Amino acid sequence: MVSRRGIVTYDFNNDNIMDLAVVNLDEQTVTMIIGNRNGTFTIQMQYSVGSAPRELTFSGFNNDNKLDIFVADTGGSNIILLLGNGDGTLRDRVTYTIDTPSTFMISMKFSLILRLIQNKSAFTFICLSLGENIAKMSEELILYHYPQSPFAEKIRMAMGLKKLNWRPVTVDRVPPRSYLEILTGGYRRIPVLQVGADIYCDTHLIIRTLDRLRPDAPALLSNRMAQPLCWWWDKTMFPLLFKLLIGLRGDKLPREWLDDRQKFAPQLSLKKEDNEKDIPLIVQQMNAHLAWLGNMLDDDREFLLEGSSPSAFDITVYHILWAMKTNFEQETKNLLPCLTQAKFISWFDRIAAFGHGASNEISSEEAFEIAKQTEPIYIENKTANEWNVGQRLRITPDDMGRVPVEGTFIAANDYEIVLRLSNEKTGNINVHFPRAGFDVIAV
């Protein structure tokens, strides 16, 4: 069994077909895999590359218009250069030994390493001086949001419940969002979480990721019922909230926002008159689901699920009610009277008191630069038969904001699927999507 710790895709032999270069940790090699016109691949050759190769990238290092391969060998703190011949084969292995932590070599963007190699006398000094900062940047929680977004409020509350430090990037309510669109491959829903060169889409996956990255903080999904209940609430209540907002406030909302959201949710009418006449039915459905929540709070529990701490379900319910309170609080009291009950008010105030954690604003440009300077994490593929590593896939939300993202399949498990995006502006980026709620097709 070969443990693959890094993969890049490019047309290495200039035949206009995508090829692969793969690091094999157990065999201590790099394998060049050449793409065929019928969608299959041919293993061309393996090259020895140190004792613990973990990541690789490519660049035209010696200005001969042929792509070369660089490998991070953390066993010996080496950068190994394999010069390309332009036909998918490699030659002339050159090893650069550097005095810097191996963990830094993995997180540091190779484009920066390559520039430093050319001035080897300064290489070790610069690596050591930058290493601590870049390693720190690769762990920062960067959240793209805007203040009025209900789903962004859910994740802001997750930061508060878990007592996290995070870096907000405030984006426009209406696209374009140029830097973010490059990082996500076009995904347009908000919020988005960035951790180094890894991009996490959709709040359900972001919450799971926060639990994984910060396990010492209170776990939001420790109760197994939290995830399916979050799914029920969002899928049921957000479309109703959307329609209620248009029915009550459609004539007061900015035209630019309405036009954009009509593209975002073409299955819904964003005309005030269409939704206004449906308000009785919308309210009827909302009250039915709120009654279930009321039953959960009848035993004077502090939080919706049993336990002494809040869960993802608490903040998922909260963000919808927060949006109602923010946009039409007075009408809510009349249309949804159960929300005026003491048990709901006490629960809402209890969740709100957790706040948003500690945040320090960062610009889109700064966040983009962090992605450029760091490498995406290694992710083990745990699917056997669905997709092949290196296969081109298209992933699209199945409800609203149906903008497809195309990339190279890297890995998947029961909960998420990861695409690799590679371009000259950012280098390698991993974009993570949840399995549930997204359509995945081969392209």
Side-chain angles (χ1 to χ4, degrees):
M1 178 67 179
V2 175
S3 174
R4 291 176 171 81
R5 303 290 296 191
I7 180 171
V8 294
T9 61
Y10 203 80
D11 178 16
F12 290 107
N13 61 348
N14 299 303
D15 63 354
N16 296 317
I17 301 173
M18 197 64 68
D19 310 309
L20 306 175
V22 181
V23 163
N24 308 311
L25 176 61
D26 295 344
E27 294 185 356
Q28 302 170 2
T29 61
V30 165
T31 302
M32 298 300 295
I33 303 175
I34 303 304
N36 302 315
R37 295 192 182 279
N38 62 359
T40 63
F41 291 89
T42 300
I43 296 179
Q44 186 173 73
M45 192 172 293
Q46 288 188 326
Y47 302 86
S48 297
V49 284
S51 60
R54 292 183 180 272
E55 296 287 346
L56 78 165
T57 191
F58 58 88
S59 177
F61 180 69
N62 58 349
N63 299 315
D64 64 354
N65 295 318
K66 299 173 184 177
L67 290 175
D68 310 309
I69 296 290
F70 294 82
V71 182
D73 171 25
T74 58
S77 291
N78 298 320
I79 298 295
I80 296 172
L81 164 64
L82 297 166
L83 295 176
N85 295 316
D87 59 359
T89 63
L90 305 171
R91 71 181 195 281
D92 297 344
R93 168 179 156 169
V94 181
T95 300
Y96 297 90
T97 300
I98 59 175
D99 182 17
T100 189
S102 60
T103 53
F104 168 50
M105 289 174 59
I106 294 174
S107 65
M108 187 177 183
K109 206 71 169 181
F110 271 96
S111 58
L112 178 58
I113 289 178
L114 304 188
R115 292 196 297 271
L116 296 176
I117 284 177
Q118 298 179 53
N119 184 5
K120 190 172 184 295
S121 62
F123 184 64
T124 297
F125 172 76
I126 295 174
C127 281
L128 290 172
S129 63
L130 291 178
E132 183 177 350
N133 286 336
I134 292 181
K136 179 181 178 182
M137 288 190 299
S138 69
E139 297 177 353
E140 286 186 319
L141 303 173
I142 300 171
L143 185 70
Y144 295 81
H145 78 130
Y146 57 86
Q148 305 91 339
S149 167
F151 284 97
E153 176 66 8
K154 184 203 294 192
I155 302 304
R156 293 190 293 258
M157 291 302 302
M159 300 294 188
L161 264 61
K162 293 180 76 68
K163 301 178 176 62
L164 298 178
N165 296 312
W166 57 289
R167 308 296 304 275
V169 177
T170 303
V171 298
D172 292 334
R173 294 177 69 182
V174 176
R177 307 174 183 120
S178 56
Y179 286 103
L180 181 58
E181 288 168 4
I182 294 172
L183 293 177
T184 63
Y187 177 81
R188 62 145 295 163
R189 304 203 307 200
I190 295 294
V192 170
L193 177 69
Q194 175 188 340
V195 185
D198 284 83
I199 307 298
Y200 299 88
C201 303
D202 194 271
T203 58
H204 293 275
L205 179 59
I206 291 173
I207 288 174
R208 183 171 293 278
T209 300
L210 292 178
D211 270 359
R212 175 176 60 81
L213 294 177
R214 301 293 189 269
D216 52 331
L220 298 176
L221 292 172
S222 58
N223 188 310
R224 294 182 181 181
M225 290 302 298
Q227 184 76 81
L229 286 171
C230 290
W231 182 265
W232 153 63
W233 184 261
D234 276 343
K235 286 291 187 180
T236 301
M237 295 297 282
F238 182 71
L240 295 173
L241 168 68
F242 201 67
K243 290 170 64 66
L244 187 59
L245 173 64
I246 303 302
L248 293 173
R249 293 282 186 270
D251 56 342
K252 296 179 175 62
L253 296 170
R255 173 48 54 187
E256 180 187 28
W257 185 86
L258 287 169
D259 290 343
D260 175 73
R261 291 318 192 261
Q262 186 63 78
K263 299 174 186 176
F264 180 82
Q267 70 273 35
L268 300 178
S269 170
L270 268 65
K271 295 180 179 179
K272 184 178 189 299
E273 57 271 22
D274 291 342
N275 292 281
E276 191 172 29
K277 65 181 177 58
D278 287 339
I279 286 178
L281 293 176
I282 296 169
V283 169
Q284 182 184 107
Q285 288 297 312
M286 284 185 147
N287 276 318
H289 292 282
L290 287 168
W292 293 351
L293 291 182
N295 288 338
M296 298 176 75
L297 295 171
D298 276 343
D299 59 2
D300 296 324
R301 65 180 66 187
E302 289 188 313
F303 307 109
L304 290 173
L305 300 182
E306 293 181 358
S308 58
S309 62
S311 70
F313 186 46
D314 286 282
I315 58 175
T316 298
V317 171
Y318 173 89
H319 85 99
I320 296 291
L321 303 188
W322 169 86
M324 295 180 189
K325 185 178 180 66
T326 301
N327 290 287
F328 39 84
E329 182 175 14
Q330 188 56 51
E331 291 91 334
T332 297
K333 293 178 180 179
N334 298 327
L335 297 173
L336 306 169
C338 64
L339 293 180
T340 64
Q341 297 172 6
K343 60 184 178 182
F344 272 106
I345 294 173
S346 297
W347 169 84
F348 185 92
D349 291 344
R350 192 176 301 119
I351 300 303
F354 283 95
H356 294 161
S359 63
N360 183 15
E361 186 81 22
I362 186 174
S363 70
S364 295
E365 294 86 350
E366 291 172 309
F368 189 79
E369 191 64 26
I370 288 174
K372 288 174 61 177
Q373 292 186 12
T374 54
E375 281 290 331
I377 62 172
Y378 165 72
I379 305 161
E380 181 181 0
N381 179 33
K382 295 185 178 180
T383 58
N385 301 313
E386 290 184 272
W387 307 287
N388 298 316
V389 173
Q391 184 177 5
R392 294 288 294 180
L393 298 180
R394 178 184 298 133
I395 298 181
T396 310
D398 68 2
D399 50 8
M400 300 181 184
R402 291 182 55 81
V403 177
V405 176
E406 290 190 14
T408 302
F409 173 65
I410 295 296
N413 58 29
D414 289 341
Y415 303 105
E416 69 180 285
I417 180 170
V418 187
L419 297 185
R420 170 67 56 85
L421 306 184
S422 300
N423 60 68
E424 294 180 355
K425 294 181 178 179
T426 61
N428 294 326
I429 299 291
N430 281 353
V431 186
H432 304 242
F433 299 91
R435 295 287 297 267
F438 286 75
D439 298 328
V440 183
I441 62 172
V443 294

